[in-house]
Every structure is written in C-alpha cells, then in structure tokens.
Amino acid sequence: MTQVLDFIRFPFKKKINEKMLFKKKKFLFKKDKQIKKINYLIYNFDYLKKTNLPIDKDLYFSSILPLTVLNQNYLKKCINIMKEKKIRNICLHPYLQNIDNKKINFLCKKRNVKLFKNFNFIIATAIGTKKIYKINPLEVAFRVSETFKNSKIVLSHFGGFKILEAINLMKNNKNIF
C-alpha cells in the first residue's frame, strides 16, 4: 500500500478559494489501494505567509525556501514562518532558484545548522535546461547533506540522467535518500 503521495498544486485557470486548494478526498491509486498521507509542496512563499494551513494528521506540507535575499535576519524570519505553519520539509529547487555557489555558501554556513534543526530537505535534482553547466543540483545536495548531517535529504527526480552520481551520493552520505 502506498503510504505517502507527494502532491504539487499547479495554478488553476479559473479563480478558486483557499478551501478548494486543500480539499481532501480519498485519493485512489491503482483502483484498490488508498493513499494514506499527502505531502503538499507549496512553491509560493508569499502564499504560505498569508494562508492558514489545515490541521490534519494525513496532510504534510513542504515549502520552497526563498533564497532571493541573502540576509541572515530574512532567513530567520522565513524559518520562523515555516515553524509556525508546522512545515516539516524545506524544498530547494536549484534550477528555479538559481542556486549557485554564493547561495549555497550562504545557506551552508555553520551558524545555520541550529536554525534548520528539525527540518528535512527535498532537493530537486533533475538535470537539464540551459543552466546545465552553471547549476549543479547534486552538488547542492552534497553540500546540504554535509552541513546538515542530522537532516534527511531527499533527492527528488533521483539525479535525472546523473543517476549513478546520485546513487554514489546516497551510498556515501547516510542522510541522503
């Protein structure tokens, strides 16, 4: 039986209210198997700030970490919002967020280890686009796993076509899944 379904809400063409975004129905998988838990990934941090997330033992929420402002106070403010909203997982999408060496160095400062305590990371590791040689999602995953050793690091997209590199990272870093 499937235990958790990752679920991303994409924009709708017509106007909807917030209740519709989080309306929970029985999601069915392969006809007879019911999905137990749903993880919503929230890409819009501004939306996260102003909405009240429903409290439900079968719903989990993940949020993209805004890295547009590289300022320690701003980072602390974002983390506090995530804690208030009971966010468990932080998503990093190196291609969408343009996570270069400057951003990863800022994120992986030693003083941030305590700040990110009790969070797990989901890192989009698909490889492609014209940023293929500028942005390296697996390097981001490696740096995060080395800095935040007590956090679980999930490689979404399993490294794209660099699957062997992703497997090697998982073998050598016990906190990468």
Side-chain angles (χ1 to χ4, degrees), residues 5-77:
L5 171 71
D6 274 332
F7 192 76
I8 300 172
R9 282 290 194 171
F10 292 100
F12 291 91
K13 290 183 179 180
K14 62 182 181 178
K15 189 173 179 176
I16 58 167
N17 63 31
E18 286 178 14
K19 288 180 184 174
M20 288 175 68
L21 276 177
F22 299 108
K23 194 171 186 179
K24 187 179 154 207
K25 295 179 181 177
K26 286 188 175 185
F27 288 89
L28 297 178
F29 185 74
K30 293 187 180 175
K31 293 182 185 172
D32 59 339
K33 294 183 181 181
Q34 186 178 349
I35 294 168
K36 294 265 189 197
K37 302 195 183 286
I38 301 170
N39 177 35
Y40 283 96
L41 175 56
I42 301 169
Y43 268 101
N44 186 334
F45 196 76
D46 290 329
Y47 176 76
L48 175 67
K49 288 191 294 190
K50 66 183 178 184
T51 191
N52 291 321
L53 300 176
I55 298 170
D56 186 318
K57 66 180 178 61
D58 293 334
L59 295 178
Y60 295 97
F61 296 95
S62 303
S63 177
I64 197 133
L65 179 67
L67 289 173
T68 51
V69 178
L70 300 182
N71 173 290
Q72 199 67 28
N73 290 330
Y74 179 73
L75 182 64
K76 286 179 183 177
K77 194 183 290 186

Side-chain angles (χ1 to χ4, degrees), residues 37-171:
K37 302 195 183 286
I38 301 170
N39 177 35
Y40 283 96
L41 175 56
I42 301 169
Y43 268 101
N44 186 334
F45 196 76
D46 290 329
Y47 176 76
L48 175 67
K49 288 191 294 190
K50 66 183 178 184
T51 191
N52 291 321
L53 300 176
I55 298 170
D56 186 318
K57 66 180 178 61
D58 293 334
L59 295 178
Y60 295 97
F61 296 95
S62 303
S63 177
I64 197 133
L65 179 67
L67 289 173
T68 51
V69 178
L70 300 182
N71 173 290
Q72 199 67 28
N73 290 330
Y74 179 73
L75 182 64
K76 286 179 183 177
K77 194 183 290 186
C78 292
I79 294 299
N80 286 334
I81 290 168
M82 289 178 172
K83 286 178 181 177
E84 285 172 19
K85 303 289 184 171
K86 302 206 182 330
I87 299 291
R88 297 178 179 201
N89 304 308
I90 293 173
C91 181
L92 298 175
H93 199 300
Y95 280 136
L96 291 180
Q97 295 176 282
N98 291 313
I99 300 179
D100 55 10
N101 284 332
K102 184 178 178 181
K103 286 183 180 178
I104 197 64
N105 288 338
F106 170 76
L107 183 65
C108 291
K109 288 181 181 177
K110 286 195 187 249
R111 66 180 170 189
N112 288 338
V113 171
K114 195 171 184 179
L115 187 63
F116 287 98
K117 187 180 175 190
N118 300 324
F119 283 100
N120 296 311
F121 290 88
I122 300 168
I123 302 176
T125 59
I127 307 292
T129 78
K130 60 184 175 185
K131 301 176 194 175
I132 191 167
Y133 298 110
K134 183 179 176 193
I135 307 290
N136 186 342
L138 292 172
E139 181 183 349
V140 172
F142 172 74
R143 291 280 309 278
V144 169
S145 75
E146 289 291 304
T147 304
F148 306 104
K149 293 187 182 288
N150 294 325
S151 297
K152 292 178 183 171
I153 316 298
V154 176
L155 304 181
S156 68
H157 311 294
F158 204 40
F161 62 79
K162 292 189 176 185
I163 192 167
L164 294 177
E165 193 174 325
I167 290 170
N168 191 40
L169 274 177
M170 290 187 319
K171 277 182 163 181

